[in-house]
Amino acid sequence: MKVFYKKELLQEHLAEITIRASIGFIPTMGALHKGHLSLIEKANNENDISVVSIFVNPTQFDKKEDLRSYPRTIEEDLALLQTIKCDVVFVPSVSEIYDDNINALHFDFDGLEFEMEGKHRKGHFDGVGTIVKRFFEIVKPLKAYFGEKDFQQLQIIKKLVEKYRIPVQIIGCEIYREPDGLAMSSRNVRLTKAQRKEAPFIYKTLMKAKEKLKKDSIQTVIEWVEGEFKKNAVLQLEYFEIAHSKTLKPVRRKSKKASYRGFIAAFAGDIRLIDNIALN
Ligand code: AMP
């Protein structure tokens, strides 16, 4: 496994490789878990070499405190990556990526950026677009892997490569869950014992909502989910939305033709958790 800290050295190394090999790229913010590993394994199956980046991107955090408290476990991450096939790890510093201009570019993602996460995390997707575009320019992968855990992000990255004609295939990967259903997340390590015990409630509620939707209207199900969270003393609901899988616009009425998903963002104390499932 090769570890790079400087983009020029990474690019030199990759240029030699790309002549004869396909690169699968997996961008992460570290604090790696089995969800990340599942993306890397998929990349390994579909490419000659896999490149993982570990970079906590400052421009996608709307709150300074959230950026400060984001878990950083680089030693453990590199050790975990040694346990699987991972050819290249890129661990740049903030100045390596941004020089002294730590600002996001501005993107038009045809409205995808204004739904759900976009409403609650101002500028988040400008930060995501900036870093992912930058990494694509540096790594030049054939394929890049993103989790459905961040479903809106996945759709936005698809839009990014379409709009900027970036020659990379975006591969969506299923959500990897704990045995009790909680979606794996780097933030889970910050949960207290009581919060961790309660956190699978998010997935369980999504599953029940899916079941209810078979007979109830969209509005009834939304009200039911909101009511369930009001009764929960540990988790505070930020939003529950039923949205079209592609446009991410809210669904008002059930339809057999459209494909839609349920999305939840909820807080356990100051820890923000998100999850989503297909509803039809
Ligand atoms: P992050 O380090 O949280 O920025 O995540 C890096 C990539 O891993 C993103 O594409 C995430 O969507 C994906 N990811 C994170 N958690 C999971 C999970 N539980 N299952 C599948 N993919 C995930």
Side-chain angles (χ1 to χ4, degrees):
M1 183 171 93
K2 287 191 162 25
V3 181
F4 291 90
Y5 299 90
K6 295 281 170 197
K7 55 182 180 286
E8 286 79 13
L9 296 179
L10 171 78
Q11 283 178 301
E12 260 173 40
H13 178 72
L14 296 181
E16 279 169 29
I17 289 171
T18 37
I19 297 167
R20 52 199 155 78
S22 60
I23 294 175
F25 177 49
I26 308 98
T28 82
M29 296 209 295
L32 300 180
H33 50 69
K34 286 183 186 156
H36 296 114
L37 297 191
S38 70
L39 269 58
I40 300 169
E41 265 152 25
K42 199 168 163 72
N44 282 337
N45 289 336
E46 298 180 358
N47 303 276
D48 297 321
I49 75 152
S50 53
V51 177
V52 173
S53 64
I54 298 178
F55 180 66
V56 181
N57 174 35
T59 63
Q60 70 187 70
F61 286 81
D62 59 336
K63 293 193 179 80
K64 277 207 177 98
E65 182 47 32
D66 193 22
L67 171 61
R68 198 194 59 75
S69 62
Y70 197 85
R72 289 161 172 90
T73 58
I74 189 68
E75 298 304 323
E76 289 93 328
D77 290 349
L78 293 177
L80 188 62
L81 291 175
Q82 297 277 11
T83 67
I84 59 161
K85 178 188 167 317
C86 171
D87 303 283
V88 173
V89 191
F90 183 39
V91 195
S93 64
V94 172
S95 61
E96 182 69 11
I97 296 297
Y98 287 102
D99 292 322
D100 53 4
N101 180 22
I102 308 174
N103 288 303
L105 305 169
H106 182 66
F107 292 92
D108 172 0
F109 294 121
D110 292 346
L112 290 174
E113 70 274 35
F114 302 127
E115 304 300 332
M116 299 183 289
E117 293 294 287
K119 281 184 203 146
H120 296 274
R121 301 182 73 187
K122 289 277 169 257
H124 172 65
F125 289 118
D126 279 341
V128 169
T130 303
I131 190 62
V132 173
K133 184 167 175 288
R134 188 85 192 92
F135 277 148
F136 284 168
E137 287 159 2
I138 296 171
V139 178
K140 299 188 176 61
L142 194 66
K143 295 182 182 176
Y145 296 79
F146 292 84
E148 288 186 346
K149 156 99 187 333
D150 302 277
F151 194 87
Q152 186 171 7
Q153 170 176 279
L154 169 64
Q155 297 307 92
I156 282 194
I157 300 300
K158 285 183 180 165
K159 183 65 77 180
L160 174 82
V161 303
E162 177 196 312
K163 283 206 138 181
Y164 285 84
R165 301 187 186 182
I166 305 172
V168 51
Q169 193 183 338
I170 303 304
I171 314 284
C173 306
E174 268 180 35
I175 302 177
Y176 200 93
R177 299 180 180 281
E178 298 283 358
D180 60 13
L182 175 65
M184 287 202 180
S185 163
S186 304
R187 294 170 194 268
N188 291 353
V189 295
R190 296 190 56 229
L191 296 169
T192 64
K193 244 184 173 179
Q195 289 168 338
R196 172 64 190 83
K197 193 157 174 264
E198 203 51 42
F201 178 84
I202 297 171
Y203 179 59
K204 285 187 185 129
T205 307
L206 280 170
M207 293 297 280
K208 283 189 200 158
K210 178 176 182 165
E211 200 48 41
K212 278 193 170 295
L213 203 60
K214 287 184 184 155
K215 47 183 174 33
D216 293 333
S217 70
I218 298 268
Q219 194 49 38
T220 306
V221 173
I222 290 175
E223 283 165 20
W224 177 81
V225 169
E226 289 171 351
E228 289 301 288
F229 271 89
K230 278 200 184 112
K231 289 186 264 171
N232 190 304
V234 179
L235 299 168
Q236 288 81 47
L237 183 68
E238 186 172 51
Y239 65 77
F240 169 63
E241 277 204 28
I242 297 177
H244 287 279
S245 304
K246 230 174 164 186
T247 64
L248 303 179
K249 296 249 174 288
V251 177
R252 307 267 175 235
R253 228 172 287 138
K254 289 196 279 187
S255 143
K256 284 213 171 75
K257 278 188 227 148
S259 143
Y260 37 83
R261 302 179 76 91
F263 295 83
I264 283 181
F267 281 95
D270 67 340
I271 305 158
R272 190 167 183 277
L273 301 172
I274 57 170
D275 200 351
N276 70 91
I277 62 166
L279 293 176
N280 65 345

